[in-house]
């Protein structure tokens, strides 16, 4: 953690795309597109600012340990990470989606999820799923998966899944239906607590530029 440089942790894909306008508002323009390059460290137009490209679920870890000063992570990832060592000053209102329970079309979820019953639930989000079903008084066997949750109920691995839904197209294509809304998800700015103190002069203007850009986007919407 060099005092006069800023390292920003981002994931490829939707978060990167939706972060570009926010970075631009803070005067930061990446030198290249991570999609078109295999580089994991990307320079920017500013000599003291660089981006590191990591897995979406690894962003909080890089920031927690100060390997990046700040980053952008989905609320889903932050809940599972726990948020230790991180400030979360801003909801960026990007990469929005919903955490849902889904089951095969026609499955009688209302009957299966009565308090006292037992359900097998496949998910990448064991903490979120466990809390949701504990609140309902439903016993669950959580089956941790790392992707393609939609497959699990189709091949008898689970009764239900807990996953993110945005358009609903993936559920539909696999003959599943959303039966319960757990929470709304968007991406947050996460800042290393020590870096916020030591590099306040560098980080504070970026937080303010992001906040203004988010406000302007909300007004325009
Ligand atoms: O892909 P990788 O394993 O590296 O990581 P990741 O899947 O966590 O990363 P990425 O880039 O796919 O997602 C990053 C973040 O985007 C997530 O942490 C969420 O906060 C947010 N986000 C927003 C989403 C979605 N929308 C989303 N729809 N993340 C995933 N999805 C998936 C969902 O899991 C399901 O498989 O898209 C599918 C459903 O989409 P629809 O449009 O068919 O409903
Ligand atoms: Mg993905």
């Amino acid at each position: 953690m060099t005092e006069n440089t800023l390292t920003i942790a981002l994931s490829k894909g939707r978060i990167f795309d939706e972060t570009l306008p926010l970075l631009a508002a803070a005067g930061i323009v990446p030198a290249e597109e991570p999609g078109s390059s295999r580089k994991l460290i990307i320079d920017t137009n500013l000599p003291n600012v660089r981006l590191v490209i990591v897995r979406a679920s690894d962003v909080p870890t890089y920031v927690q340990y100060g390997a990046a000063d700040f980053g952008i992570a989905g609320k889903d990832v932050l809940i599972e990470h726990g948020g230790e060592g991180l400030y979360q000053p801003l909801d960026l209102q990007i990469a929005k989606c919903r955490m849902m329970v889904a089951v095969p079309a026609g499955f009688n979820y209302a009957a299966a999820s009565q308090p006292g019953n037992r359900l097998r639930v496949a998910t990448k989000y064991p903490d979120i799923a466990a809390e949701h079903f504990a609140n309902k008084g439903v016993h669950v066997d959580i089956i941790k998966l790392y992707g393609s949750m939609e497959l699990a109920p189709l091949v008898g691995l689970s009764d239900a899944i807990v996953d993110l839904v945005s358009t609903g197209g993936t559920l539909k294509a696999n003959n599943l239906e959303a039966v319960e809304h757990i929470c709304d998800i968007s991406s947050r700015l996460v800042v290393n607590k020590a870096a916020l103190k030591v590099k306040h002069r560098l980080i504070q203007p970026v937080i303010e530029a992001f906040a203004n850009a988010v406000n302007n986007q909300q007004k325009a919407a």
Side-chain angles (χ1 to χ4, degrees):
M1 187 158 83
T2 323
E3 222 169 285
N4 293 314
T5 62
L6 277 185
T7 300
I8 307 173
L10 294 175
S11 55
K12 280 188 199 180
R14 66 192 104 218
I15 287 185
F16 190 87
D17 297 340
E18 294 191 47
T19 298
L20 279 177
L22 300 175
L23 289 173
I28 301 167
V29 181
E32 57 200 305
E33 232 261 79
S36 66
S37 143
R38 285 167 187 270
K39 273 195 195 165
L40 298 176
I41 300 181
I42 295 185
D43 288 328
T44 71
N45 61 318
L46 303 181
N48 63 333
V49 179
R50 63 179 185 169
L51 311 179
V52 291
I53 305 301
V54 304
R55 283 292 285 267
S57 44
D58 290 334
V59 167
T61 305
Y62 277 82
V63 176
Q64 173 188 359
Y65 290 101
D69 299 299
F70 63 91
I72 294 174
K75 184 75 183 162
D76 49 320
V77 162
L78 287 167
I79 295 172
E80 292 294 330
H81 172 270
E84 203 191 323
L86 305 175
Y87 275 121
Q88 298 182 32
L90 208 52
D91 180 347
L92 299 171
Q93 303 283 343
I94 60 171
K96 286 189 182 181
C97 54
R98 302 173 305 283
M99 188 69 73
M100 310 279 295
V101 181
V103 298
F107 178 81
N108 191 344
Y109 180 71
S113 62
Q114 288 300 311
N117 278 3
R118 189 155 207 107
L119 269 185
R120 284 176 310 151
V121 177
T123 187
K124 193 175 165 182
Y125 307 100
D127 289 354
I128 295 172
E131 196 196 334
H132 174 71
F133 287 102
N135 288 338
K136 286 170 60 78
V138 178
H139 302 291
V140 281
D141 297 315
I142 303 272
I143 300 164
K144 164 85 187 184
L145 294 177
Y146 292 88
S148 302
M149 269 78 78
E150 295 85 359
L151 180 61
L154 305 180
V155 294
L157 180 60
S158 71
D159 303 307
I161 62 172
V162 166
D163 194 12
L164 298 172
V165 178
S166 52
T167 62
T170 307
L171 291 182
K172 200 162 176 223
N174 292 292
N175 202 26
L176 300 173
E177 59 188 15
V179 286
E180 233 161 32
H181 174 262
I182 299 178
C183 59
D184 288 328
I185 298 288
S186 58
S187 290
R188 314 292 157 119
L189 182 64
V190 292
V191 185
N192 175 275
K193 283 189 176 172
L196 187 61
K197 292 200 189 93
V198 178
K199 303 187 183 185
H200 193 264
R201 189 180 53 80
L202 291 175
I203 293 176
Q204 193 56 33
V206 178
I207 297 179
E208 278 165 26
F210 279 19
N212 285 332
V214 173
N215 277 336
N216 292 338
Q217 275 176 10
Q218 294 304 105
K219 273 187 227 145

